[in-house]
Amino acid sequence: MSLAAYACDAAQSRGRRHAEPPAPTRTEYQRDRDRIVHSTAFRRLVYKTQVFLNHEGDLFRTRLTHSLEVAQLGRSVARSLRLNEDLVEAIALAHDLGHTPFGHAGQDALDDCMREHGGFEHNLQSLRVVDELEERYPAFNGLNLTFETREGILKHCSRANAQRLEAIEPGGVARRFLERTQPSLEAQLCNLADEIAYNAHDIDDGVRSGLITLDQLGEVDLFRTFHAQALAEHPRLQGRRVLYESIRRMLSAQVYDLIDATGAALRAAAPASADDARRAGPLVAFGDGMRTRSAALKGFLLRNLYRHPQVLAMTGQARQVVRELFDAYRAQPQQMPPDFAARENRARAVADYIAGMTDRFAMREHERLTGTRLLT
Ligand code: MG
């Protein structure tokens, strides 16, 4: 199927920071996707977590499986809206590359440690990974991705960081935070796909871990509707199939709502090009009803799962691991690999080093440097 006028077209890309000859058989966005899949940071996502720690169970989502789910949802919506699937896939697979070990607890702790040194923000770190930290090419640092993939990776950015980036790369990926325009429709889509994916899989992981129950989920309108529907159609359904069938229906309803509401918004705004779409305000969105229901689900997960005493006990220790690692490497940079130890901006080198760690490597390093074993 051909791309819509408002889709990003690889042939019209704003290009890469370092010019490269085109690939003989692949578009520029396919190439971005391939570079991301082969990167070191991507491989590490398998041992990084969102809510549950990697060693707590083999069945919980990791950042890798989460990213694959975001790519799947994103591609499927992109195809129905005639957006660029390859670009959506590249952004989705890269969107979490800058995450620290131990999910948000790790990121918050590292941000605290970096308070006097420019802070730490995971979206910006994802961009640093693909722009600077990957070392794979002879002629440049990073993966040298296209503007459009990098634009999608930089999902949020503070004004101060946007000004800093704009000074280095005038008119680049930070400009939109200063001009308050939207990223491409493909990037907008990845944000929604991310949200749909984690809401659904956190219910799944939450119930299977025993931290939340189907009974509790009865207070969530979106879940209750599809749970009742699944049982009405399959009265003898039991066990985990009830959960899976309810989540499957809930996911589909969100995806179809997103396709319908966005399709209507696109018909109304009728952007004639990808740049037109960037200026048109947010166009990829749920309808009003689904937005409210999805927000209620998110609120439920925040109250009942992310702030569950068992999760909070884990995040408290995770923060301690990150804080003590930061102090240890700052005091003894020779404990880091030589290329990190040699960097002039020591605090940033330490933050980059810690951010790149998997959960288990961070725990091992923490034990080696402090003699204390946490999170086991
Ligand atoms: Mg995500």
Side-chain angles (χ1 to χ4, degrees):
M1 203 181 0
S2 64
L3 291 175
Y6 43 72
C8 286
D9 179 352
Q12 309 289 325
S13 170
R14 286 192 214 172
R16 305 175 188 278
R17 295 197 302 164
H18 307 276
E20 292 185 67
T25 57
R26 294 172 299 161
T27 69
E28 296 306 317
Y29 303 145
Q30 281 179 285
R31 234 173 153 189
D32 281 0
R33 186 262 330 269
D34 297 348
R35 288 178 182 197
I36 291 158
V37 168
H38 289 276
S39 69
T40 308
F42 186 73
R43 275 196 301 285
R44 288 184 184 148
L45 293 179
V46 71
Y47 296 114
K48 290 192 178 197
T49 48
Q50 306 239 100
V51 180
F52 298 90
L53 291 190
N54 193 251
H55 63 272
E56 289 181 314
D58 292 344
L59 298 175
F60 298 131
R61 263 62 171 195
T62 66
R63 294 232 175 244
L64 182 66
T65 57
H66 163 71
S67 301
L68 295 173
E69 292 182 25
V70 175
Q72 180 275 315
L73 287 167
R75 284 193 75 133
S76 123
V77 175
R79 187 172 297 194
S80 4
L81 296 173
R82 293 166 58 219
L83 294 174
N84 197 307
E85 279 186 59
D86 295 327
L87 176 57
V88 166
E89 188 177 20
I91 296 169
L93 294 180
H95 86 282
D96 271 353
L97 289 180
H99 267 283
T100 61
F102 316 126
H104 288 286
Q107 118 109 26
D108 292 347
L110 202 49
D111 188 33
D112 275 349
C113 295
M114 289 295 286
R115 183 137 301 163
E116 310 289 303
H117 314 281
F120 179 88
E121 207 275 305
H122 66 84
N123 289 300
L124 197 57
Q125 190 69 11
S126 297
L127 189 68
R128 273 178 71 68
V129 168
V130 301
D131 279 357
E132 299 294 333
L133 298 175
E134 284 285 325
E135 298 178 310
R136 308 192 77 81
Y137 294 91
F140 44 76
N141 285 338
L143 303 176
N144 198 30
L145 304 180
T146 61
F147 173 88
E148 294 76 21
T149 302
R150 295 174 59 243
E151 171 193 40
I153 290 172
L154 193 62
K155 181 160 86 173
H156 304 292
C157 185
S158 67
R159 208 178 157 80
N161 281 330
Q163 279 161 343
R164 235 170 274 156
L165 281 176
E166 176 69 18
I168 303 165
E169 187 192 356
V173 289
R175 176 67 65 90
R176 76 177 181 89
F177 296 98
L178 304 172
E179 290 180 347
R180 297 179 180 282
T181 55
Q182 295 299 310
S184 69
L185 296 167
E186 285 81 358
Q188 295 179 41
L189 169 54
C190 285
N191 292 345
L192 264 293
D194 187 20
E195 194 176 316
I196 295 174
Y198 65 66
N199 281 339
H201 64 54
D202 288 351
I203 292 184
D204 183 8
D205 286 350
V207 171
R208 285 185 302 102
S209 67
L211 296 187
I212 52 177
T213 64
L214 285 177
D215 265 4
Q216 273 178 301
L217 276 163
E219 73 176 69
V220 181
D221 169 61
L222 192 57
F223 186 84
R224 190 177 57 237
T225 308
F226 295 104
H227 183 239
Q229 201 189 70
L231 287 177
E233 270 180 54
H234 305 280
R236 283 200 293 273
L237 202 60
Q238 280 184 334
R240 66 179 54 158
R241 289 191 203 220
V242 178
L243 176 66
Y244 291 147
E245 183 60 17
S246 312
I247 292 176
R248 196 178 65 76
R249 286 168 187 247
M250 194 185 83
L251 259 180
S252 299
Q254 287 176 286
V255 166
Y256 293 131
D257 183 272
L258 180 63
I259 292 172
D260 289 347
T262 305
L266 285 168
R267 280 189 298 279
S273 67
D275 273 339
D276 245 15
R278 286 183 175 95
R279 288 185 293 261
L283 292 173
V284 182
F286 288 131
D288 291 342
M290 188 57 86
R291 187 176 311 128
T292 310
R293 297 173 95 194
S294 161
L297 169 58
K298 208 171 170 171
F300 170 87
L301 287 169
L302 181 65
R303 289 189 306 278
N304 296 285
L305 182 61
Y306 311 143
R307 291 188 192 149
H308 188 286
Q310 234 167 289
V311 173
L312 290 181
M314 180 279 277
T315 56
Q317 291 193 28
R319 284 164 191 272
Q320 186 183 343
V321 167
V322 168
R323 233 177 13 243
E324 292 179 355
L325 277 178
F326 188 85
D327 293 341
Y329 292 129
R330 272 202 89 195
Q332 309 170 59
Q334 71 281 7
Q335 297 289 351
M336 296 189 292
D339 46 333
F340 285 94
R343 277 169 49 181
E344 222 160 278
N345 185 339
R346 188 182 294 175
R348 186 58 62 188
V350 171
D352 285 340
Y353 185 50
I354 294 176
M357 291 179 180
T358 62
D359 297 0
R360 58 185 190 172
F361 183 72
M363 285 159 58
R364 259 189 258 138
E365 277 292 277
H366 179 262
E367 188 178 1
R368 181 178 74 82
L369 294 167
T370 66
T372 316
R373 225 177 142 151
L374 288 176
L375 293 164
T376 49

